[in-house]
Amino acid sequence: MIRTVLSARPKIADLVFQFYGRSLHPELFEVKRERKIERSTYNATIKITSTGHAICWQQPEGLLLTEVATSALHDLPIKRRLMSHRVRGEHEDRIECAGGLVYETQLAIETADNATIRGYQQELALAGEKHSVLYQFESGGRVGLGAFSYIHFESRARSLRIQALHTFPEDGVILTSQSLFSLPSES
C-alpha cells in the first residue's frame, strides 16, 4: 500500500485527534517545525505538521507514545491506536499506560472571527520560541489570513505538558488542546 503525505491544512470538520502506543513513520507527515526535548526519564519530539501536530514521547526503557492531530483522510495505522476522536466541541480523555505513566488530554474548539484569529496569531508570534514551537502558514485564498500553529511545552523531570493552538481561518475556528504525559512519583 502506498501512503501519501497531505500537504494542505485540512478543514476542521476533517480533523482527528489520535493517540498511539507506538511511533508513526516520519514520512507520513510533512513537518514544518520540530523541537526535541531530552530528559533523563524521557525524550520527546514536538512537530508542527501541515495538518496539525505530532508529539512523540519515549522512555529510555522503550515505552513510546505518539499524539497526533491530523486529517481523518490521512491514512494512519490502526495497530496500537489507543484513542481516536473526531474533533468536535470539547473532549477529555485519560489513559493509563505501562509503567504507571498517565496520559491526559483536553480538546476544545472555539469559533472566532478573522480579527480574533489575527490577534491570537500576532500575540503568540511575539511570545517567541524559548518554550514553544510556532509556524505561520500561507493564506489559503479567500480569507487572506494564513493558518497558524503554536505549541507551548513545559518539560519537568517526570512530566511533559503540551498546550497546542491551531487556527483555521477558512473555517472561523481555533482548536486548542492540552496534553499531559506524567510518570509516577519516585518512591
Side-chain angles (χ1 to χ4, degrees):
M1 176 167 68
I2 297 174
R3 295 183 189 261
T4 58
V5 174
L6 294 179
S7 60
R9 187 84 173 231
K11 294 281 192 191
I12 193 71
D14 293 333
L15 210 68
V16 292
F17 197 85
Q18 299 180 329
F19 185 66
Y20 289 86
R22 61 175 284 187
S23 65
L24 296 177
H25 204 284
E27 292 174 357
L28 292 173
F29 304 99
E30 181 184 340
V31 177
K32 299 295 187 178
R33 290 276 194 276
E34 181 175 314
R35 187 65 134 342
K36 294 184 185 292
I37 299 167
E38 294 185 12
R39 292 283 193 165
S40 61
T41 52
Y42 67 87
N43 293 324
T45 304
I46 300 169
K47 298 176 183 178
I48 292 177
T49 68
S50 60
T51 57
H53 71 257
I55 311 294
C56 187
W57 188 94
Q58 184 172 19
Q59 281 185 278
E61 300 84 40
L63 179 64
L64 201 143
L65 305 168
T66 304
E67 170 188 289
V68 180
T70 191
S71 170
L73 305 174
H74 207 145
D75 187 21
L76 294 180
I78 296 173
K79 185 179 178 185
R80 296 197 353 226
R81 184 170 63 194
L82 306 174
M83 176 194 79
S84 180
H85 299 288
R86 284 278 195 165
V87 175
R88 307 266 190 276
E90 295 183 14
H91 185 83
E92 292 184 22
D93 216 332
R94 175 185 164 96
I95 298 174
E96 294 184 22
C97 303
L101 178 118
V102 175
Y103 168 79
E104 298 174 88
T105 191
Q106 299 173 327
L107 305 171
I109 293 179
E110 171 188 337
T111 58
D113 60 23
N114 284 343
T116 302
I117 291 173
R118 186 174 281 111
Y120 269 121
Q121 291 181 182
Q122 289 171 346
E123 185 178 322
L124 294 172
L126 293 173
E129 294 192 60
K130 183 174 181 176
H131 295 285
S132 63
V133 185
L134 56 96
Y135 186 78
Q136 174 74 53
F137 292 83
E138 295 292 322
S139 173
R142 71 174 178 86
V143 182
L145 179 64
F148 188 83
S149 288
Y150 173 85
I151 301 175
H152 177 78
F153 60 90
E154 294 175 22
S155 174
R156 305 279 185 254
R158 304 198 64 73
S159 67
L160 175 65
R161 181 178 306 277
I162 301 289
Q163 296 171 301
L165 181 140
H166 301 287
T167 65
F168 294 81
E170 295 282 329
D171 296 321
V173 297
I174 298 170
L175 168 64
T176 59
S177 66
Q178 290 190 62
S179 300
L180 176 65
F181 298 80
S182 61
L183 292 165
S185 300
E186 292 182 308
S187 305

